[in-house]
Structure formats: C-alpha cells, structure tokens
Amino acid sequence: MTAAPRPSDSFRLHPGSPDSPVILHVPHSSRAVPAEVRAGITLDEPALARELDHITDSHTEEIAARAAERTPTTPWRFVNRLSRLVIDPERFPDEREEMLARGMGAVYTQTTHREELRPADFDGQALTERYFHPYAEAMTAAVGERLRAVGRAVILDVHSYPSKALPYELHGDGPRPPICLGTDSRHTPAPLIEAAREAFAGFGGTDLDSPFAGTYVPLRYYGKDPRVTALMVEIRRDLYMDEPGGPAGPGLHDLASALARLVERASV
C-alpha cells in the first residue's frame, strides 16, 4: 500500500499538443490504495489482490500512452493514479448512480463478486471530499482549457472489461464484443462512432453500449455544452492480456495503434 497522497497527486494530466482537442481519460488503470484507505477495507491481503485483478482495467494507461506517442497531434492524457477502490471518479456521487444497487457508487462497499468490501453502513463522505471532488474539478478544468484553446473538447474514455461477466454487472447478459463503444445521445456524434468503428475494425467487431453504456463528461458540461463530445472505448481484456490481472501480450501494441488512429480522426 502507499502513503496518503495529496489530492493533486492522485491524478495526473499529461500535456499534449496545444492545438489538440482530445483528452484520453484513463480512470481505472491503477492498483494503488493508500494505507489510510486500505484500513477501511475488510478484505484480507490475498482477497484484496484478487479483487484488484478483477476490478482494474489493467494496462490501459500503457495503451493510452503508446497511442499518444504514435499520433501526430499528441492528445492530452488525464490518468487516475489510484485504484477505483479508493473512489470511482466516473460514478455519480449521489442517488442518480444506478450502480448503488450493487454497492458500487462513488465509494464501493461491495466487490465484483458481491462480497463485502467495506461495511454496508460505511460513510464514504471523507473519501469523496478528499479524492472524488478534486478529481472532478481537475478534469473539468482540463476540458475547459481545451475549449478555450481550440473551441472544442473530445474525451476518449479508455477502459477494459472481462471476457466473462462478473456478478456485479447490471447488464452482463448482453453482447460482449471485442470493442464496446459507450455513447451518450447528447455528447457522442455519429462521426465519432464511425471513426471508432473504422479504427478498431481489425479486432473482430464493435457494438454500442453493451455490456457497458454511456461515457464520461464532467457535470459542468453534461447536457449543456455540445462543444464537448465523448466516447467510451471498452476493450475486452482477452484481446491483449491474461485474465484476470495478468501480463499484457502482443495485442496491446495493435490496440494502441488503433486508438492512435481514432485520436487522429478525432483531432481533425
């Protein structure tokens, strides 16, 4: 476990080209859990390691970094440096979040296998204040800076998901394509979807919003500013790694190249 970071240390914005509208958002790639947060988790060490294997979008930070290196107009990268077991920055922090039904709001109380992670009456307010809100404010600021600099922002949300459904999934009985594209009716234009389909055409197929739907837009802009567009790219893990939580394989290289193609299209 790690020492308690300052909120500004729990995420990092990697600068891109001044004229790039694209932000690669990588929220779930880290396994780091600060010691003070670990103290509130009821799992023993082996069980926590197994949970991190299942819940972490392993190697997605590397996929995004390699994609950025291969793109003429370098995208910006906003990376969560802590595990989503600390806070999940992509959940609503209130009753709007459907994953509360699985004990997985902004602060999780259950695991991927519906077991106790924290006591059901755990008060997550301190974690929300320390980690969730600063993260949201920083991501909002990053989007605002792209709007000021180039007049638009394109958020490409980089995730992965297991080839077999886990018990926590609300919609795990749907298709599990090699590439799932999560969309939002107000922020995901058809040309961005088409660009993603073309970029990832060589991986066996794409599908929309199954098994995971939606995409991340900071609440300040959500449903309010059409200059902010977004797409979630969910990569099925058997394309590039040993599941769960194992090393990356050669597929990572090809996926990074595909993501770079999408970034290039989205930058125009």
Side-chain angles (χ1 to χ4, degrees), residues 62-232:
E62 184 177 359
I63 291 172
R66 290 194 182 191
E69 292 173 354
R70 299 171 189 182
T71 308
T73 304
T74 305
W76 298 66
R77 287 182 292 127
F78 194 102
V79 180
N80 186 5
R81 302 178 69 186
L82 298 180
S83 169
R84 63 198 291 191
L85 297 185
V86 179
I87 56 96
D88 190 330
E90 295 210 318
R91 303 286 200 239
F92 286 113
D94 52 36
E95 67 281 351
R96 289 173 293 177
E97 179 52 58
E98 69 168 356
M99 289 303 294
L100 283 172
R102 290 289 193 262
M104 287 182 160
V107 179
Y108 296 176
T109 57
Q110 292 189 22
T111 71
T112 51
H113 288 75
R114 309 297 309 282
E115 298 169 349
E116 182 182 271
L117 179 75
R118 297 180 173 96
D121 60 353
F122 182 84
D123 185 354
Q125 182 175 357
L127 293 180
T128 301
E129 292 295 332
R130 182 174 180 82
Y131 297 111
F132 183 94
H133 292 311
Y135 187 107
E137 290 166 4
M139 184 63 181
T140 300
V143 171
E145 179 56 30
R146 292 301 86 215
L147 292 175
R148 286 187 291 273
V150 296
R152 63 191 182 102
V154 183
I155 303 168
L156 299 179
D157 212 19
V158 185
H159 292 258
S160 70
Y161 77 100
S163 57
K164 294 183 179 180
L166 293 171
Y168 84 96
E169 295 182 25
L170 286 174
H171 311 290
D173 55 349
R176 304 183 82 80
I179 305 294
C180 164
L181 302 175
T183 69
D184 183 274
S185 60
R186 289 163 288 191
H187 291 279
T188 311
L192 185 57
I193 295 172
E194 184 58 29
R197 289 193 187 277
E198 292 179 4
F200 291 97
F203 295 92
T206 61
D207 206 346
L208 300 182
D209 296 312
S210 179
F212 297 99
T215 189
Y216 180 81
V217 175
L219 291 178
R220 179 181 297 176
Y221 302 106
Y222 184 68
K224 303 171 185 176
D225 195 332
R227 297 176 300 164
V228 180
T229 59
L231 179 74
M232 179 170 66

